[in-house]
């Protein structure tokens, strides 16, 4: 029994693929629901508060570790 050779489908040209990609992107962008101004302001404020909080936590950890690893041994060893 003879089998037919498998032929790969021909690939579209580069400009055709770019055009198809552009159309697909535009179709998907029409499905996006964009936030209104109030939602955008709310999210921005929350992000700024979170970043400030995270910076404070990192700063406190830095001061604490500096005390434990640098100042405390100097105090205990008398240097």
């Amino acid at each position: 029994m003879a089998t037919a050779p498998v032929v790969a489908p021909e690939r579209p040209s580069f400009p055709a693929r770019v055009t198809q990609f552009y159309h697909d992107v535009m179709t998907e962008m029409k499905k996006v629901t964009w936030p209104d101004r109030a939602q955008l302001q709310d999210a921005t404020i929350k992000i700024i508060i979170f970043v400030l909080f995270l910076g404070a936590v990192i700063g406190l950890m830095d001061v604490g570790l500096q005390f434990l690893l640098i100042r405390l041994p100097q105090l205990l060893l008398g240097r």
Side-chain angles (χ1 to χ4, degrees):
M1 180 188 273
T3 60
V6 177
V7 178
E10 190 170 319
R11 200 171 162 186
S13 67
F14 180 73
R17 291 192 319 248
V18 169
T19 304
Q20 183 61 44
F21 177 76
Y22 174 76
H23 289 299
D24 291 344
V25 168
M26 294 310 290
T27 302
E28 289 299 318
M29 291 302 285
K30 289 178 183 175
K31 297 177 185 177
V32 173
T33 56
W34 297 99
D36 59 8
R37 184 173 178 87
Q39 291 173 328
L40 194 60
Q41 278 182 324
D42 185 52
T44 302
I45 291 170
K46 287 178 182 176
I47 290 170
I48 290 172
I49 290 171
F50 177 74
V51 167
L52 291 173
F53 173 75
L54 195 60
V57 168
I58 292 172
L60 288 173
M61 288 175 57
D62 181 47
V63 169
L65 287 172
Q66 183 179 8
F67 176 77
L68 285 175
L69 298 175
I70 296 174
R71 302 276 187 234
L72 190 60
Q74 286 176 351
L75 292 173
L76 293 175
L77 299 174
R79 290 185 181 178

